[in-house]
Structures are given as C-alpha cells and as structure tokens.
Amino acid sequence: MTIRVVFGEDSYLAREAILSVLEGEEDIDVVATCSDYESLRLTVGDVRPDVVLADISMPPTHTDEGIRLATELRRTQPDVGVVILSQYAEPLFATKLLEASTDRRAYLLKERIQGRGDVTRALREVAAGRSIVDPRIVELLLAAQRRRKDSNFDTLTPREQEILALVAEGLSNAAIAERIVITKRAVERHINAIFSKLGLADAGHFSRRVKAALVYLAGQAG
C-alpha cells in the first residue's frame, strides 16, 4: 500500500532535505507540499492524504500551527495521521498532540533525526494507526518524575522504569523485547506490574497505554 503524504514546512532547505529522504521510498508518495498553515489546511481537506507531515510552527504565527491542525483533523478527518516535526524539546507540546488520542500521531524532534529511517518509520507507524514519541521527550518527563518527592514512581524497579519509557515512546511489546533483549512474555509481566503500581491497569490497548504512560508522566512532572 502506498502512503499518500501532504508535507507542510515553511523552510525551503528543511523541506528539500526531507523530500530528498522520502523520494526514494516506494511506498511513500508526497502528493503535495505547503509552506503555511492555511494552505496546508485547505490542501489536506482537498487531497485527503493518509498522513500529514508538518512542522510544528508555520506562518502566520510560527507557534503551534502543526498541533492545531492535528487537533482539528482529529475531529474532521480522524483517519488522517499526523507526524509533527518540532524544534521544541517540550513535553507540553507532545502531550497536547496526544491528549485526545494517541492513534495516528507522532512527535519527532528535528535535531535528533539521524537519517531517513526516523521519518519513514514514523510515517509508516502512523499510517498503520500507531504512535511515536521522541525518546528525548520521554527522558525529560522521566527526569521530572524522579525529582518529585510525592510520587510513587520510586516503587518501580529500574527495569520497569526503562520499560515505561519505551511504552511512552510507542514501542510494541515485541519491539521492547527486542530492544532490551528479554522475552515478550517477560515484557508483558513487567507492563502489568507497572500499570498496576501506577493505577493504570485498565490501559491495555496499545494506543491507550501510550497515552496513559504519557499522561501519568506529564501529570506527575508538573
């Protein structure tokens, strides 16, 4: 299946760099590019792509246009995925992107994009209905969590804290097992223990559990 993408980015250099990454992917077709918020909104409405790849800030205000578009699309075109490219290592933006649902959403930091695999993986995961959060955002949430004296975060073992971070990034049980070299069954046991300790035991579905992990970390980090 070909993933149809509309790309919104006001920087010519950044736009060309990302396009050069995507042009060699047989299953990804960039059907339109836009350089401002309003043209992006109109184009997405006309083209109805599978995924929107958008800078978080675009004209006219250069603030949170990408997040606002993602919020609007959740209501008007819920089947359209959104991958946000951001220069802000700010957990608030990521949690705002995911507050209604984590389905079909990704938040990547521009400065940490290492190569073509980061963007293409995000597009494919989001097109499949899943989510991705940059690990740096999760690291910041975890660090804030560890500083709190009134948190039950310290009831988690170091391994459970590690797995919670990977859950929040959007990794599946199988991907977590491969990353830390344990069995999938062991991952499932750890996740059950984590969510029980944190009062998130009902967050079993993949997307719900990503949101639950992020909401817990963000809420406790304030």
Side-chain angles (χ1 to χ4, degrees):
M1 183 188 77
T2 299
I3 302 169
R4 300 171 67 252
V5 176
V6 169
F7 182 26
E9 169 62 71
D10 64 300
S11 165
Y12 173 79
L13 292 178
R15 189 166 61 246
E16 290 301 303
I18 295 295
L19 287 173
S20 69
V21 166
L22 300 180
E23 66 182 3
E25 302 297 316
E26 294 183 358
D27 62 333
I28 296 174
D29 181 16
V30 180
V31 295
T33 60
C34 305
S35 58
D36 65 85
Y37 176 62
E38 194 57 35
S39 64
L40 181 60
R41 286 183 68 247
L42 293 174
T43 300
V44 171
D46 290 341
V47 174
R48 301 188 69 86
D50 299 305
V51 180
V52 177
L53 176 65
D55 191 351
I56 192 172
S57 63
M58 289 176 285
T61 69
H62 291 283
T63 54
D64 64 346
E65 280 81 4
I67 301 293
R68 286 192 279 126
L69 177 63
T71 300
E72 178 181 334
L73 290 176
R74 182 68 73 191
R75 182 181 70 257
T76 61
Q77 298 185 54
D79 291 337
V80 175
V82 179
V83 175
I84 294 294
L85 301 176
S86 177
Q87 62 269 41
Y88 306 122
E90 172 52 64
L92 178 63
F93 285 118
T95 52
K96 186 175 181 181
L97 174 69
L98 304 170
E99 63 185 357
S101 172
T102 57
D103 292 348
R104 303 179 187 277
R105 294 292 182 267
Y107 190 93
L108 303 181
L109 294 176
K110 286 184 174 182
E111 65 181 29
R112 289 167 50 84
I113 294 175
Q114 300 295 316
R116 66 188 314 121
D118 292 335
V119 176
T120 56
R121 172 177 173 253
L123 290 171
R124 292 178 180 119
E125 289 291 297
V126 165
R130 295 185 286 270
S131 60
I132 292 180
V133 180
D134 191 285
R136 177 59 181 157
I137 298 296
V138 179
E139 289 171 8
L140 292 171
L141 289 169
L142 288 168
Q145 179 66 267
R146 292 187 183 101
R147 291 194 296 268
R148 290 180 63 93
K149 295 180 180 180
D150 59 346
S151 168
N152 62 352
F153 189 71
D154 58 3
T155 64
L156 302 181
T157 67
R159 176 66 94 185
E160 288 169 348
Q161 293 181 26
E162 179 183 22
I163 290 175
L164 177 63
L166 296 175
V167 169
E169 288 176 33
L171 272 66
S172 67
N173 288 358
I176 292 172
E178 182 177 354
R179 175 79 65 87
I180 62 177
V181 196
I182 62 175
T183 67
K184 184 179 176 181
R185 186 178 295 273
V187 172
E188 293 169 354
R189 288 197 300 269
H190 281 301
I191 289 175
N192 288 338
I194 292 165
F195 279 45
S196 176
K197 290 178 181 179
L198 301 183
L200 302 172
D202 62 342
H205 183 269
F206 178 81
S207 289
R208 287 202 307 273
R209 76 181 196 165
V210 173
K211 182 184 178 184
L214 284 170
V215 166
Y216 173 79
L217 292 172
Q220 297 297 325

